Amino acid sequence: MSRDALERHQVWIYLAAILCGLAAGALWPALAPGFEALLWPTLAVLLYATFVQVPLLQVGAAFRDRRFTVAVLLGNFVLIPLLVWLCLPLLSDDPALRLGVLLVLLVPCTDWFISFCQLGRGHTAKAIAITPLNLLAQLLLLPVYLWLMLPANALDTTAIMARLLPAALGLIVLPLVLAGVTERWIDAARPRAVWRARLAWWPVPLLAVVVLMIAGAQVNTVLSAGPALLAVLPVFVAFLLVTSLLARLVARVMRLPLEEGRTLAFTMGTRNSFVVLPLALALPAGWETAAVVIVFQSLIELFGMLLFLWWIPQVLFRNKAA
């Protein structure tokens, strides 16, 4: 199987992994501690392999097309946070569920967004160029968004931050730094580029292992969260629809070419679920629903991207001259 085929079928791979994890957790509960112990190092390797694919040392490339950059920043970090804030009254009062929704919807994707952009006839080069800027901006702005959108009495802020900061440093910042060092090492000699290509195979199978272990370790939480997940399903579906329409509006106002408009739609529609997943998993006992919500959203998004591959190039950003 080629890597392109692997990425095209990733939604079914993740779905199968979740079902296998649920079955394993239900049949052999004693596996749960092992899943939890292996989950953290697997997540760290997953994030490292993914960050290596992001041109971290080429952040300046995003600013070469200022109009496109402004459109992406406006869409991802102004309009979408406003949209998410407007969605909050539609959610239940469960703070874990709300936190999970906020974590996953507020951060734009930095991995499969590029693959779907390429398949959806977007501007792949500009998608790659804008990715490190998206990543750095979300790491800086996510704490601000959470502080603004979560009511002060919804959670013990001190206890939550005491859990989130070590997770962010150990499972996001450290892999990010190592990926930057690796990128510099690879760029120093042309033959070393093969290592980036090899690491590009890792994210899909590693993410499948991660969701399998989460499902196996949290099988009771997943089953008990069923009604809550069904309640949040319309929000995630509506998010995909509304973000695509917002992308069309922003592209028209900014007068973006079709390929750049499609790229904008894919970056606004895809979210960085696996980057915020470690943060949700680091929360205290009783907050497991947040991680389940994040995994659930990623599945809804992947199915939504299958529709986007038709909806974006054939309807919203159709080439009328073709």
Side-chain angles (χ1 to χ4, degrees), residues 61-80 126 130 133-134 246-247 250-251 253-256 260 264 267-268:
F63 294 98
R64 292 173 186 166
D65 186 340
R66 293 184 180 179
R67 185 167 54 177
F68 176 68
T69 300
V70 169
V72 170
L73 294 177
L74 174 65
N76 276 326
F77 300 107
V78 178
L79 297 180
I80 285 184
K126 291 191 176 180
I130 202 68
L133 182 60
N134 270 340
L246 283 175
V250 173
V253 171
M254 301 293 292
R255 298 181 181 178
L256 297 180
E260 293 183 13
L264 178 65
T267 187
M268 290 177 65

Side-chain angles (χ1 to χ4, degrees), residues 17 22 48 50 54 81 109 115 118 138 150 154 174 185 197 232 251 274 276:
L22 290 174
Y48 165 74
T50 303
V54 178
C109 184
S115 299
Q118 182 177 16
Q138 67 188 252
L150 284 174
L174 182 57
W185 178 80
V232 83
F274 73 93
V276 294

Side-chain angles (χ1 to χ4, degrees), residues 38-113:
L38 291 171
L39 181 58
W40 295 103
T42 307
L43 265 171
V45 177
L46 166 63
L47 290 171
Y48 165 74
T50 303
F51 289 154
V52 169
Q53 311 307 314
V54 178
L56 299 170
L57 304 180
Q58 302 176 30
V59 177
F63 294 98
R64 292 173 186 166
D65 186 340
R66 293 184 180 179
R67 185 167 54 177
F68 176 68
T69 300
V70 169
V72 170
L73 294 177
L74 174 65
N76 276 326
F77 300 107
V78 178
L79 297 180
I80 285 184
L82 286 173
L83 174 63
V84 174
W85 178 67
L86 291 173
C87 288
L88 286 179
L90 303 177
L91 303 174
S92 73
D93 292 332
D94 181 357
L97 183 142
R98 288 196 169 206
L99 181 57
V101 170
L102 289 175
L103 283 172
V104 75
L105 292 188
L106 289 171
V107 290
C109 184
T110 57
D111 59 328
W112 61 49
F113 142 66

Side-chain angles (χ1 to χ4, degrees), residues 239-251 265 268 308 311-312 316-317:
F239 177 86
L240 288 169
L241 175 61
V242 175
T243 53
S244 66
L245 297 177
L246 283 175
R248 184 70 185 96
L249 176 62
V250 173
M268 290 177 65
F308 262 42
W311 169 252
I312 299 303
L316 282 187
F317 294 92

Side-chain angles (χ1 to χ4, degrees), residues 52 54-58 179-187 196:
V52 169
V54 178
L56 299 170
L57 304 180
Q58 302 176 30
V181 172
T182 302
E183 184 178 336
R184 184 174 292 277
W185 178 80
I186 290 173
D187 291 344
R196 182 182 282 114

Side-chain angles (χ1 to χ4, degrees), residues 104 109 112 116 239-240 269-273 296-306:
V104 75
C109 184
W112 61 49
F116 284 115
F239 177 86
L240 288 169
T270 52
R271 304 288 91 190
N272 223 356
S273 53
F296 181 65
Q297 186 279 335
S298 67
L299 279 178
I300 300 303
E301 179 180 300
L302 284 168
F303 280 110
M305 286 303 107
L306 298 180

